[in-house]
Amino acid sequence: MLKESKKSQRPTDTLIGQGAEFEGRMEGQANLRIEGQFKGEIVAAGDVIIGEKGVAHSNISAQNVIIAGKVIGDIATKGKLILLTTGQLCGNYSGPSLIIHEGADFNGSSQMEKGPAAAPLHKEPETTNEKSAKNKKQAG
């Protein structure tokens, strides 16, 4: 019987090929490459790559995200967001590193955070009581 080493137990990368369309929630330990279309939430422990022909209507949470295609949604990384020359992001970014190549489109805001993990961009609105308590602390 063959023993499998830890290296051979690495998760297989996932590809959504050109011409394919998927909708739903994608969650996994492996890297994900999208060359087709995806609509839904993506949570990946590895990297997410949106190819030149790829389109994702998604909120994405991953180690690193590389965009050569188009993403409509918010992105949070523990590493880098890289927008290549052909890349388009219409959404917000939270993470420690942002690289935008000349010619890329970024319509949104960025929140740069150093540390082990970027906080999600979606914050619950403060209630009236929370606002007044915050104001009292600042005043006194």
Side-chain angles (χ1 to χ4, degrees):
M1 177 178 254
L2 295 173
K3 289 187 177 182
E4 290 187 23
S5 70
K6 290 190 179 196
K7 283 186 181 181
S8 68
Q9 293 176 1
R10 185 175 92 67
T12 302
D13 291 344
T14 302
L15 170 67
I16 296 176
Q18 191 172 349
E21 295 180 23
F22 287 91
E23 187 172 338
R25 177 180 163 90
M26 177 78 69
E27 189 171 343
Q29 298 297 312
N31 297 330
L32 170 64
R33 183 177 185 96
I34 297 174
E35 295 290 345
Q37 295 189 27
F38 184 84
K39 186 175 184 177
E41 185 177 4
I42 298 171
V43 179
D47 298 342
V48 173
I49 301 166
I50 310 298
E52 279 192 44
K53 304 287 184 188
V55 178
H57 293 265
S58 306
N59 289 331
I60 301 172
S61 177
Q63 180 64 39
N64 298 297
V65 176
I66 301 169
I67 302 173
K70 185 173 187 175
V71 174
I72 300 168
D74 296 337
I75 297 175
T77 67
K78 294 178 182 177
K80 298 177 186 175
L81 168 61
I82 302 172
L83 281 166
L84 299 175
T85 301
T86 57
Q88 300 175 32
L89 172 59
C90 186
N92 301 315
Y93 169 66
S94 174
S97 181
L98 172 61
I99 300 168
I100 302 175
H101 289 232
E102 186 175 349
D105 291 328
F106 177 29
N107 294 304
S109 64
S110 64
Q111 182 178 344
M112 308 301 285
E113 296 185 10
K114 300 281 184 196
L121 291 170
H122 310 291
K123 290 185 178 179
E124 294 296 322
E126 288 182 344
T127 64
T128 306
N129 291 340
E130 289 172 334
K131 285 181 185 176
S132 61
K134 189 177 187 180
N135 290 337
K136 284 180 186 177
K137 280 185 178 178
Q138 290 175 350

